[in-house]
Amino acid sequence: DIQMTQSPSTLSASVGDRVTITCRASQSISSWLAWYQQKPGKAPKLLIYKTSSLESGVPSSFSGSGSGTEFTLTISSLQPDDFATYYCQQYHSHPLTFGGGTKVEIK
Amino acid sequence: QLQLQESGPGLVKPSETLSLTCTVSGGSISSSTYYWGWIRQPPGKGLEWIGSINYSGSTYYNPSLKSRVTISVDTSKNQFSMRLSSVTAADTAVYYCARPYSGSYAYDYWGQGTLVTVSS
């Protein structure tokens, strides 16, 4: 199985901050990486697929980059609606695996 | 607009079988490009992929659950289902059904999720 490791597990930030979350794969996954946002009591929401492709309707303040084993999700200017938990997911091979999550909290 | 809805018992006894169904509306489950998935999330924890199925019944399972899980599809009802046998308290979770982006396994449509508690 491909292990996905996210860091940090918790991040405290203020509105307007630039935020970066890292996801590392235990082996190369090419560009087959997705990012999700999840709010309490809600299903995950797809933000980015194939490392850097923005899902329709997602603000352009979100961006993704990376390849191989190291990937990042960047929020260029944190908004109140962005406080949530973020997960990465690899879909290079089965079993599909998720990172442990990064909770973005209000500082 | 595609919608997915999970249904099934909210409480299952230890050692019994958990059965859930996902009903798809606003689109056909018979498209050849999708592997419809089940994902779960224990309370306060992260996401775990359970398995996927396509319209013809071809499946992928998480090896960690493979001996206990069966996923099936009923195209006539536009539904797919999951059965997890010999459940324990560790199987208590919110269970989601989801559809991935065409030709990929990044999930762009999700059900609202259903909490299944394993307890006597």
Side-chain angles (χ1 to χ4, degrees):
Chain A
D1 299 6
I2 297 175
Q3 308 302 316
M4 305 301 293
T5 304
Q6 278 183 244
S7 60
S9 56
T10 307
L11 187 160
S12 296
S14 302
V15 173
D17 284 353
R18 181 182 180 88
V19 166
T20 298
I21 298 169
T22 298
C23 181
R24 289 186 173 87
S26 60
Q27 64 189 74
S28 176
I29 58 171
S30 185
S31 295
W32 303 113
L33 185 97
W35 289 98
Y36 299 87
Q37 177 193 68
Q38 187 179 34
K39 296 182 178 179
K42 299 294 187 181
K45 172 187 174 184
L46 179 65
L47 299 175
I48 288 171
Y49 60 97
K50 206 173 179 186
T51 296
S52 59
S53 296
L54 202 64
E55 171 71 343
S56 176
V58 174
S60 59
S61 57
F62 289 89
S63 64
S65 64
S67 68
T69 62
E70 187 152 339
F71 302 85
T72 58
L73 172 70
T74 299
I75 309 172
S76 61
S77 179
L78 201 63
Q79 298 303 303
D81 191 49
D82 300 336
F83 291 96
T85 301
Y86 295 84
Y87 294 94
C88 61
Q89 177 220 333
Q90 68 81 18
Y91 52 105
H92 173 270
S93 61
H94 289 95
L96 310 181
T97 47
F98 293 86
T102 295
K103 185 175 183 179
V104 177
E105 298 181 326
I106 300 173
K107 191 172 184 179
Chain B
Q1 176 75 347
L2 189 77
Q3 291 187 319
L4 294 84
Q5 177 70 57
E6 306 88 352
S7 60
L11 181 64
V12 180
K13 289 182 168 56
S15 79
E16 296 190 343
T17 297
L18 180 165
S19 296
L20 295 174
T21 295
C22 182
T23 300
V24 178
S25 58
S28 173
I29 203 169
S30 298
S31 171
S32 61
T33 60
Y34 301 118
Y35 268 81
W36 304 80
W38 287 99
I39 297 106
R40 71 179 182 178
Q41 184 172 37
K45 296 188 178 180
L47 300 162
E48 179 181 31
W49 176 77
I50 298 170
S52 303
I53 191 166
N54 75 352
Y55 77 105
S56 68
S58 175
T59 53
Y60 292 101
Y61 294 124
N62 192 325
S64 68
L65 298 168
K66 189 173 183 178
S67 63
R68 299 194 291 131
V69 69
T70 302
I71 299 175
S72 58
V73 64
D74 186 337
T75 55
S76 67
K77 294 182 179 178
N78 226 31
Q79 295 175 334
F80 62 108
S81 300
M82 183 199 72
R83 290 168 56 87
L84 182 67
S85 64
S86 305
V87 298
T88 69
D91 296 309
T92 294
V94 175
Y95 286 78
Y96 296 100
C97 58
R99 192 208 76 175
Y101 228 95
S102 178
S104 86
Y105 293 93
Y107 293 101
D108 59 347
Y109 284 95
W110 294 68
Q112 65 185 23
T114 187
L115 174 63
V116 179
T117 301
V118 178
S119 175
S120 56

